Amino acid sequence: MMTFPYAHGTSRTTQHQVEAFTDDPATELSEMATRLTRFAELGISMEGQEVLDDISTDMAAKSGFLYGMVNAFGEEQTFLGLHNPPRDSGYPIVGRTMSRKDGWCPEVVRRRRGLPLPDVAASPRFLSNHVADAIGISSYFGEPIIDEVTGLALLTVCIIDPEPRTLADAARVQAIVRKTTREAANVLKIRMPPAP
């Protein structure tokens, strides 16, 4: 745990105890401070937004996945956009927040590039994961929203599902997530670097 000063949606600075989860806590917490400052500059609050929920739902429908998220990285992961399966489907319902250490999006933020996992069981590095165990997730596709101003991944856009996908379908699914990343960035007024 480290004491971490930051401004969170207000002009005053407060002290918080924030846990670091990487091997380089100084960089991790410095990047978090930059993200939080940038969120404040862009007027992005850490709460759900209906338009991003709609974007997440559209992405899940196009890809055939049960869950879709637009995920902001601050002290925790906050799903500004969220699509869950129907409440009576028998599948778990995901809340709006989760620890920064859980899931696969922290890896997308760290590496600043997409992560397609059509079958998480086929990748030992990513198999052991609280989300995979708690929700029973077998496939994940995620992309970062890179802020051109700071060079950091401010958010991720991802889809997850209890069914694995084939390698043959992975490019199609990742393209849907990548396109959604641009849509979400436009809504949030985040200028991303040009696509390669």
Side-chain angles (χ1 to χ4, degrees):
M1 297 284 248
M2 299 180 72
T3 301
F4 182 60
Y6 73 95
H8 187 248
T10 67
S11 58
R12 68 186 166 86
T13 300
T14 56
Q15 295 284 326
H16 290 271
Q17 291 289 322
V18 176
E19 189 172 358
F21 299 110
T22 66
D23 294 334
D24 185 0
T27 299
E28 179 185 356
L29 296 179
S30 172
E31 288 182 355
M32 184 196 306
T34 301
R35 276 189 207 95
L36 291 170
T37 298
R38 191 70 179 125
F39 288 145
E41 291 169 356
L42 292 164
I44 298 172
S45 61
M46 296 297 111
E47 56 190 26
Q49 297 186 27
E50 187 175 345
V51 64
L52 295 175
D53 287 347
D54 291 344
I55 286 172
S56 298
T57 296
D58 184 58
M59 173 177 59
K62 286 178 179 172
S63 62
F65 277 57
L66 288 182
Y67 302 87
M69 292 96 166
V70 176
N71 185 9
F73 272 75
E75 280 190 41
E76 57 190 356
Q77 298 181 63
T78 303
F79 303 131
L80 306 185
L82 178 61
H83 173 77
N84 274 302
R87 291 201 174 271
D88 60 358
S89 67
Y91 292 101
I93 300 300
V94 175
R96 287 273 179 191
T97 61
M98 145 171 118
S99 168
R100 283 189 345 273
K101 70 178 178 180
D102 293 331
W104 298 275
C105 285
E107 180 70 12
V108 172
V109 166
R110 186 192 64 74
R111 55 193 254 158
R112 295 183 176 107
R113 60 186 172 133
L115 179 63
L117 295 173
D119 183 356
V120 298
S123 181
R125 178 177 172 200
F126 298 109
L127 176 60
S128 178
N129 190 299
H130 175 71
V131 173
D133 298 339
I135 307 175
I137 297 305
S138 293
S139 54
Y140 166 92
F141 290 80
E143 287 281 340
I145 295 180
I146 305 289
D147 174 38
E148 190 174 60
V149 173
T150 63
L152 294 177
L154 298 183
L155 301 95
T156 59
V157 173
C158 72
I159 47 178
I160 56 176
D161 198 84
E163 296 297 324
R165 296 310 197 266
T166 64
L167 285 175
D169 197 35
R172 178 192 71 85
V173 173
Q174 193 71 8
I176 291 168
V177 177
R178 192 173 299 117
K179 181 177 184 293
T180 305
T181 299
R182 294 276 171 183
E183 292 173 19
N186 288 340
V187 167
L188 295 168
K189 300 191 176 7
I190 298 171
R191 194 171 67 246
M192 293 180 68

